[in-house]
Amino acid sequence: MTHSGNHTLIWTGSYTADSGGHGAGIGAVSSGADGALTWLGTAAKADSPSFVAVHRSLPMVYAVGENAKTVQAYRRRGEFSLEPVGEPWPAGEAACHVNVDPHGKFLVVACWGDGQVLLYELEDDGGFARRLPAAPSSDPHRDERPSRAHASLVLADGRIMTTDLGHDLLRVWNCVPGTGLVLDHELVLPKDSGPRHLVQHPDGTVFVVSEYSIEVFAVRAASAAGKFELASRGPATSDGAKEGDSAAEIALSADGRFAYVGTRGTNRISVLEVTSSAEGSALSPLADVPSGGDWPRHHLVRGEWLHVAHERSHDITTFRLDTATGLPHGPVHRLVAGSPTALIVAS
């Protein structure tokens, strides 16, 4: 993490005027030891950089241009400024998520609009070297619904898992240099669940939140071949899904004991406890709390603090987490920010 004294730098994605939003580009926020956030300024002006990722070992940041159908590399300059590196590279329709390999060899972009999953190989300096499209998805339920790739996760074993909320699919890939993503296997989730975002627990279990059914799925590689299977499913909230709800993000506490799910519509953050058994981990809802704003699109757990980005009320609210119970208290702070869509700690 990037620290200055007791402060941590956080990048914010946003929707800008081209998407009807009020952001200006990639924002820079300083988070203090007391959890309070300070707006530093716009790190880079850009059209709807709705998701951002950071290189682990180089001062490089990557952002999708959701409406522009692009992905752009930036190099950090000074305290928080970002300088574009070259021209944007083409992505797909509604490119909505970007994720960088922990070793800095490649990044993956997921595109909600046309379902594309794209791998970009990186040069040693962090610049783009090659764009390699993955094989398209087909609807396992044979309804000819559109593919909606939404997120990617580099697994602990180096494989990549992606979600497709249009086809209710988890797809697991191997990265082959010069070839790109080669499909290892797929796991079909219940029809119309809509798997959206995902996170891996230290024990290897992957937790997936579904946008449409407002559930959490636990999947684990149970076989010697490493094929993922569904271990459990359950509600993402304590009080149940309501009309107009859609789940967004899932994040784990630093110790892996709790998970936090954001639900838009009723604007809640749900706390779930991680329970472990011989069959792997599962999630049990503990409580729902108001998120403190409108349309919690993304949230970040940072130590004892939970920061929630509200796309429609144009703010980021901060809660203090009880490390014993996992429950958020507050909000203890609110920062005005134009249409925030992602919160990513600089590294």
Side-chain angles (χ1 to χ4, degrees), residues 266-269 288-293 308 310 317 319 328 330-331:
T266 48
N267 299 331
R268 292 175 283 170
I269 296 293
D288 303 332
V289 299
S291 66
V308 184
H310 293 103
T317 56
F319 296 79

Side-chain angles (χ1 to χ4, degrees), residues 30 73 76 113 117 147 155 161-162 170 174-175 177 180-181 213 227:
S30 175
R76 185 172 167 184
V117 176
S147 173
L155 301 170
M161 183 179 286
T162 60
L170 301 178
N174 291 296
C175 179
L181 296 175
S213 64
K227 185 175 181 179

Side-chain angles (χ1 to χ4, degrees), residues 132-148:
L132 299 166
S137 172
S138 59
D139 188 352
H141 298 286
R142 304 189 184 283
D143 279 357
E144 303 303 324
R145 300 172 300 170
S147 173
R148 303 291 192 198

